[in-house]
Every structure is written in structure tokens, then in C-alpha cells.
Amino acid sequence: MSDDIKQTQEVKAKRTAKNSVFLDLFQDKRNLLKLYKTLHPEDTDATEDMLDIVTIDNVLTDNLYNDLGIMAGNNRLLLLLEAQSSWTVNILIRILLYLAQSYHEYFERTSQSLYKSKKVKMPKPELYVIYTGNKGRKPDIISLSQEFFDGADIDIEIKAKVIYESDKDNIINEYIVFCKVFNEQIKEHGMTKQAVTETIRICKDRNILKQYLSSKEVEVVTIMMSLFDDEQIMRTYAKDIEKETERKAAEKMIKMGKLSLEEIGLCVPTLSFDELKELEAEVMQLA
């Protein structure tokens, strides 16, 4: 097994091992009900017992996003995908694949066969993107046909409502504000524990997710600190890949013999002059 594959697996294993604030927050049925009632205020009879989490574990996610699946009774399937400050409409593709997998698991759970003549029963899908960056001129609804096919009439369509920060007092908005405070503290204090603890302090003072942060502060600190570990791992991995790519390019240029090491160094800035000399010696030895 190559070192690259091993490192990739280590990154995935580390990411699999941790939860996220987004998912941890809604493991509590009380918060899950608040979330549902934010989306369906008209459903005044909704209870915690009618809600079940059906999130697909470790499918289609790279942990830059957090996905939450909710079954509401037997007639609604809610999928909520969190998009952080880097906006991309590619999230629609993730929603499409996530929805297909969610239905597949639903039919298995309910013992319904797609190969019999009897029509299966399926819950109505509701698709949401919770965007924790600034809205700017981004749309309130994104659709597959509009974003990828210039609005053409296509045989399959995916539409998702995008939820941004607002002046509304609800748990979704509190979570978005929490994320923005966190980003502000990272800018001020860097990826440090101080940034995490200041985020929690500020949000509690502002009554943002106060009950959750007060009752699970230690767990939240652990979760948020692990985000820094993940980002550092990925940055290191990306640099290693870049350096290996430039090393191979430098090796080809040395074999061609048309450029000096100084000139090659300008083309491959991740390699030092001493590293290029060592590489040159290796190439000459193999020649």
C-alpha cells in the first residue's frame, strides 16, 4: 500500500471518529423538535416521538460539510446539509446522491420491494442547505436544472431551500450565528483553544445556544479543537502531494538536461536547491 493511500485512510479514519457541533446539537430530541418546528411552525402538534434521525453515516461527506437526515412521522423526509463559508452549487449533486441513498435505506427499513407490482410508499422529501457564510447575492432556492443545465427542462430535478442568517429567533439562526462568531474568533486568535473558549463565552453571553453550550461545554471544546487537527492534517497532506508532484517534474527536467538546477528551482518552488542536487545525483546514478 502506498504512503499516499495510507495517509488518506488515516485522515478518513480520524474524521470518522469525530462528531460535529451541528450533528451533536441535534442528537438531543428537544433541539431536534425545535429545528423541525422552525421549518414547520404550522405543525403545532409535533412531538419529539414523531422525529427520528436517519442520517447516513460517512457517505458522500468529507466533513467540510455536516449532513442531517430526519424522518418526521411516516410522511416527511427532511435532509439538511450544512455549507460552510466556501459556497458551491455542487452541494446539489451531494443532495441528489444523498436523497437516493436515503430512499434506498428507507425501503429496506420498511421492508418494501421495488420489484413487486405493489406501489411502494415513500415520504415526501424536503431539502435544505444551511449556509453559515454571508448571503450576498446568493439565491434562496437552488435547483439542479438552473445551475447545471441553464434552466432546461430535464428529466430529474432537485431543488433545495437555502437558509441564511436572519433576524429570526430560532435554533437554526442561533447555529449560524455560532459559526460566524467562531470564524471571527479564529481570525483574531488563530486556530487555538482561546478561539474556541471565546466563541463559547460570547455565544453564552448573547444567549446563542446557551443551554446546549452550558450543558456540554467540555464536549463542544473537544469537537471544535478536533476541527483544527483535521485542517492541519489536510494542509500537510496537500503540501506533501504538491511536493511529490514537483519532485517528479524536476526529475523529468533533470533527465532532459536542458535547464540548470537554478532554472529548475524557479519551476518547482517547494524543492530547495540542496534537494534538487540530491535528486540530480540520484538521476545521474541511475543513468
Side-chain angles (χ1 to χ4, degrees):
M1 184 183 296
S2 72
D3 290 340
D4 286 353
I5 294 175
K6 285 182 179 178
Q7 193 164 10
T8 301
Q9 290 182 344
E10 287 172 3
V11 170
K12 288 182 178 179
K14 184 174 181 67
R15 291 186 164 209
T16 300
K18 80 170 186 65
N19 204 335
S20 67
V21 172
F22 181 74
L23 296 180
D24 189 67
L25 173 64
F26 296 114
Q27 293 298 317
D28 187 324
K29 279 291 189 77
R30 291 170 297 181
N31 293 331
L32 194 65
L33 182 59
K34 289 179 183 177
L35 169 64
Y36 176 77
K37 285 191 171 181
T38 296
L39 300 173
H40 286 284
E42 79 287 352
D43 194 350
T44 55
D45 295 328
T47 64
E48 295 174 13
D49 292 338
M50 64 173 279
L51 302 175
D52 290 301
I53 294 176
V54 290
T55 302
I56 301 172
D57 293 331
N58 308 312
V59 176
L60 310 175
T61 66
D62 56 9
N63 254 22
L64 296 176
Y65 301 88
N66 299 306
D67 304 338
L68 178 66
I70 305 169
M71 277 294 303
N74 293 317
N75 61 344
R76 280 198 181 112
L77 171 62
L78 286 70
L79 299 183
L80 297 95
L81 284 75
E82 180 201 345
Q84 297 176 351
S85 54
S86 297
W87 172 263
T88 172
V89 293
N90 291 339
I91 201 168
L92 282 163
I93 306 299
R94 289 179 51 234
I95 291 173
L96 173 63
L97 299 176
Y98 201 105
L99 182 61
Q101 181 65 19
S102 295
Y103 275 130
H104 173 74
E105 294 191 4
Y106 172 79
F107 293 134
E108 286 193 338
R109 282 198 310 275
T110 56
S111 301
Q112 297 188 79
S113 173
L114 301 178
Y115 301 98
K116 293 181 178 179
S117 58
K118 182 180 178 181
K119 183 169 67 174
V120 298
K121 296 180 180 179
M122 56 195 300
K124 178 183 177 182
E126 295 181 12
L127 312 175
Y128 301 92
V129 175
I130 297 177
Y131 184 58
T132 59
N134 295 320
K135 179 177 182 180
R137 300 178 67 181
K138 298 177 186 68
D140 293 321
I141 296 177
I142 51 176
S143 75
L144 191 71
S145 62
Q146 193 65 44
E147 297 294 344
F148 290 90
F149 302 99
D150 297 323
D153 182 15
I154 58 176
D155 289 342
I156 186 168
E157 177 65 294
I158 290 289
K159 292 183 179 179
K161 299 180 180 72
V162 188
I163 303 173
Y164 305 93
E165 182 183 4
S166 68
D167 57 1
K168 296 178 180 178
D169 182 16
N170 60 58
I171 196 167
I172 297 177
N173 201 55
E174 286 185 39
Y175 175 75
I176 294 173
V177 172
F178 168 83
C179 292
K180 291 191 173 184
V181 171
F182 186 34
N183 290 336
E184 290 168 0
Q185 293 307 304
I186 290 175
K187 289 179 183 178
E188 185 170 345
H189 301 292
M191 292 185 177
T192 62
K193 188 174 182 179
Q194 184 178 1
V196 174
T197 55
E198 279 296 292
T199 297
I200 294 173
R201 181 190 65 78
I202 291 169
C203 287
K204 286 166 66 176
D205 288 346
R206 293 172 57 183
N207 202 28
I208 302 297
L209 302 181
K210 185 174 182 178
Q211 184 177 0
Y212 167 72
L213 295 174
S214 297
S215 63
K216 301 192 70 174
E217 184 163 345
V218 174
E219 293 92 334
V220 172
V221 169
T222 301
I223 290 169
M224 295 171 74
M225 288 301 295
S226 71
L227 290 173
F228 298 156
D229 293 340
D230 275 357
E231 290 195 17
Q232 182 60 44
I233 288 170
M234 291 307 295
R235 282 199 300 269
T236 301
Y237 178 62
K239 286 181 180 178
D240 288 345
I241 294 296
E242 181 183 6
K243 190 165 186 176
E244 181 59 27
T245 300
E246 292 199 352
R247 181 181 172 83
K248 290 178 181 179
E251 183 177 346
K252 289 182 181 180
M253 286 185 275
I254 290 171
K255 287 179 179 179
M256 291 173 63
K258 294 183 179 181
L259 299 174
S260 67
L261 290 185
E262 289 81 0
E263 291 170 324
I264 294 175
L266 296 174
C267 301
V268 287
T270 64
L271 299 178
S272 67
F273 187 73
D274 288 341
E275 288 174 316
L276 288 173
K277 286 178 67 176
E278 290 179 9
L279 182 59
E280 182 182 48
E282 290 176 13
V283 170
M284 297 303 292
Q285 189 175 3
L286 293 172

